[in-house]
Amino acid sequence: MKKIIIAGLGPGSPEDITPAVLSALREADVVVGYKYYFRFVESYLREGCECIDTGMKRERERAEQAFALAEQDKSVVVISSGDAGIYGMAPLLYEMAQERAVSGLPADITIESLPGISAFQKAASLLGAPIGHDLCIISLSDLMTPWAVIEKRIRAAAFADFVTAVYNPKSQGRYWQLYRLKELFLQERSGGTPVGIVRQAGRPEQDVTITTLADLDPEQVDMFTVLIIGNSQSYVSPSPRSTRGGEGSKDYVFITPRGYYRESISLPTGGGQVGASIMNESFRTILSEMHHPEVPRWRLWPLLHAIHTTVDFGMEECLWMDERATEILYNKVADGSLRHIVTDVTMAAAGIRKGALERLGIEVHCYINDPRSKQMAEEKGITRSQACMHLAAEEYPDALYVVGNAPTALFEICDLVRKAKMKPAGIIAAPVGFVHVCESKHAVKTLTSITKIIVEGRKGGSNLAATLVNSILTYDDAAQLKPGRDL
């Protein structure tokens, strides 16, 4: 039986060629294709198999050659990179078969198409799981499709919130089209939308980068690149593994949720699980809209908590931390050296997750309503907050000190540390207001021997101080981006 097999070779790596395609190649009398792709198949061909190159941009001649060889009863395999049905040779050969039938040419040639791994699938696997939901593929090549049609499709994809894979994003003669696509997507999508850039997927030159729509630089893209633009639910997550490729992506994965995870935890009973689901989804949204989600995990985790609590992305600029502060403080919790937390006011204490405290065996202390603090404040002519820190220093000098209200408490902590009357395991400095707030935070920064997390400027508050504590207590959940375990 006369047959033409159209074979998708995948993106270029031997391990990505399917067994069905390998079998067809081994049985072929002749392989027709563009010479660039022969190097991927030569080792699988039997002796005497002929490779015929029709040249670049001569797809029609390639198809005609395949039919002519099939009429000679030769086993013909037409090769195409990726999947032959996606911007490949398959549509052309089927169309030509119909044309031949209408023209009265022999119609006894069977066409079989063998699927291959498309470049966008390979790129997606390198990025993580960016195509987990509805998606579309758009080519920016206007050689055979008018730009007006392409732009219409770009607008539709952006508006409909499809995850979008972009083929042929740029060439020497086409340099502005990707700029226009970015402009159109930004009309419908957040600038923080994740974008995966994969060059030479599956080949030795492979490079993988994760960026955002706002930061996408078309000048860093070439004709060997596939882009994947996330939808409104896509997010970038810290990863315990490394994707193979560019430095910018090795510690992160690009995920578009399908819904299974949310469905499994959003149960109709057990309010904590539903609350965790909402918080998880909030964190993903925050991550997708952050200007700089690529920061180290020890900084990212408290940032996510701070933004979640305040709905203020300005936290990216004003949250100051000692190097690896979250990690250092969590390790003290894990090894048992941090067992007490002191807060300046009861509201800060109330915001610390009770589930985490119980799980970790940590006690929270607040002296603001202790009669001794009132008496000391009156006797010494100081504020109740200052008196609280005096009492705490006597009983828990090595606790984690958390200030979300009173700058005088911060000043007192600094004074007590300098007098060697206490050495806190760490300090969270987040008083809010207009009087002496900034100055108190500047003072805390001078305590170089103590690990600190500081909300710079006038911003702060007890709720913010508490959520920063929560980020420390749950730091072991940061790698999986699961913030709601102890709700």
Side-chain angles (χ1 to χ4, degrees), residues 262-471:
R262 293 193 305 274
E263 191 173 279
S264 68
I265 62 175
S266 298
L267 304 176
T269 58
Q273 291 177 304
V274 176
S277 173
I278 294 170
M279 193 170 184
N280 290 336
E281 190 65 28
S282 296
F283 269 44
R284 294 189 188 106
T285 301
I286 293 166
L287 196 57
S288 71
E289 296 184 19
M290 285 177 63
H291 296 297
H292 303 289
E294 70 284 355
V295 296
R297 187 181 301 161
W298 57 263
R299 176 167 174 77
L300 178 65
W301 192 238
L303 264 177
L304 290 170
H305 280 77
I307 295 170
H308 178 257
T309 296
T310 63
V311 198
D312 180 5
F313 284 88
M315 287 293 134
E316 288 191 77
E317 306 302 325
C318 67
L319 188 62
W320 184 95
M321 305 174 65
D322 281 316
E323 185 79 11
R324 296 175 49 245
T326 319
E327 180 182 337
I328 291 170
L329 291 171
Y330 174 74
N331 287 340
K332 290 182 178 182
V333 171
D335 67 18
S337 60
L338 199 169
R339 280 291 174 262
H340 299 277
I341 297 172
V342 173
T343 68
D344 63 331
V345 291
T346 55
M347 186 177 293
I352 301 172
R353 292 188 200 165
K354 302 304 181 288
L357 294 172
E358 293 173 5
R359 174 170 58 87
L360 298 168
I362 294 176
E363 297 179 0
V364 177
H365 311 276
C366 181
Y367 293 82
I368 197 70
N369 293 320
D370 190 314
R372 293 176 297 166
S373 65
K374 181 179 180 181
Q375 181 180 351
M376 182 184 295
E378 292 173 349
E379 291 175 353
K380 294 189 175 185
I382 59 177
T383 67
R384 293 262 305 263
S385 296
Q386 288 176 284
C388 288
M389 296 304 111
H390 270 282
L391 292 173
E394 293 173 3
E395 298 180 5
Y396 305 105
D398 59 351
L400 171 64
Y401 279 73
V402 181
V403 178
N405 182 69
T408 56
L410 276 186
F411 280 125
E412 198 65 29
I413 290 171
C414 292
D415 186 56
L416 291 166
V417 170
R418 291 184 177 279
K419 292 177 179 177
K421 293 185 176 181
M422 65 187 301
K423 189 173 182 180
I427 299 172
I428 292 179
V432 60
F434 298 94
V435 180
H436 302 312
V437 169
C438 298
E439 294 88 337
S440 68
K441 296 171 182 178
H442 297 323
V444 170
K445 274 190 183 180
T446 67
L447 305 179
T448 55
S449 63
I450 296 173
T451 303
K452 304 168 292 298
I453 300 177
I454 302 172
V455 180
E456 294 189 300
R458 295 172 171 175
K459 294 180 179 180
S462 298
N463 58 340
L464 183 52
T467 201
L468 293 172
V469 176
N470 291 334
S471 73

Side-chain angles (χ1 to χ4, degrees), residues 126-128 210 236-243 249-255 287 297 300 478-481:
L126 296 168
L127 291 164
I210 297 175
V236 177
S237 174
S239 172
R241 71 166 177 83
S242 294
T243 54
S249 61
K250 68 179 183 179
D251 293 325
Y252 296 87
V253 289
F254 175 174
I255 302 170
L287 196 57
R297 187 181 301 161
L300 178 65
Q480 290 77 39
L481 200 75

Side-chain angles (χ1 to χ4, degrees), residues 7-22:
L9 300 180
S13 52
E15 63 267 26
D16 290 327
I17 302 177
T18 68
V21 170
L22 289 175

